[in-house]
Amino acid sequence: MTNFEGIIKFNTDRLLTTFDSDVEYTLLEEELQEFFWATENIDRVDALCDLIVVAVGGLYQLGYDPEKALAETVKEVLSRKGTTNQITGKWEKDPNQSPDTLYKADYTTAER
């Protein structure tokens, strides 16, 4: 069983199969707060992994295959060009990149 399959099993075994944006928001917010307030890396790892569990469950509840949806996202981000801002440390997209070189994620291919 893959990790994503395990998360889906967790959700289906507990009848967590109906998407509710308010519940999803609350769960994601709780995990982000846990990450923000963490003082140890192990706690940050736990919060980040929990965010993945919540996100994968949400994708499944929305009727998408999380693995396929994520594959589309990876194709899209890998097609982007840009640089890391030396002041903020944030990666920024190249505003001059030709749209012809950008891949746009097709999430319809991930529908179950």
Side-chain angles (χ1 to χ4, degrees):
M1 176 182 323
T2 68
N3 292 323
F4 280 12
E5 290 168 340
I7 295 168
I8 291 166
K9 181 174 177 10
F10 172 88
N11 280 265
T12 56
D13 287 354
R14 289 157 182 81
L15 304 178
L16 302 171
T17 55
T18 303
F19 185 83
D20 181 318
S21 60
D22 291 333
V23 170
E24 190 79 5
Y25 178 85
T26 300
L27 293 170
L28 290 168
E29 183 179 47
E30 287 172 5
E31 297 307 333
L32 284 170
Q33 286 178 0
E34 182 181 320
F35 176 80
F36 179 77
W37 293 109
T39 57
E40 302 290 329
N41 278 347
I42 195 75
D43 297 323
R44 290 182 186 105
V45 169
D46 177 65
L48 290 170
C49 287
D50 288 347
L51 281 164
I52 293 168
V53 169
V54 172
V56 168
L59 287 165
Y60 180 77
Q61 292 166 7
L62 284 169
Y64 289 83
D65 177 317
E67 184 68 44
K68 290 179 182 176
L70 186 58
E72 284 297 306
T73 299
V74 169
K75 286 183 206 174
E76 182 172 312
V77 299
L78 288 177
S79 76
R80 296 177 186 158
K81 294 184 185 341
T83 58
T84 301
N85 182 307
Q86 297 303 309
I87 296 168
T88 65
K90 182 181 175 190
W91 188 85
E92 297 174 349
K93 297 180 212 175
D94 178 354
N96 299 315
Q97 183 176 358
S98 168
D100 296 339
T101 64
L102 290 168
Y103 178 82
K104 179 65 178 148
D106 180 5
Y107 295 113
T108 62
T109 63
E111 293 174 337
R112 291 185 288 117

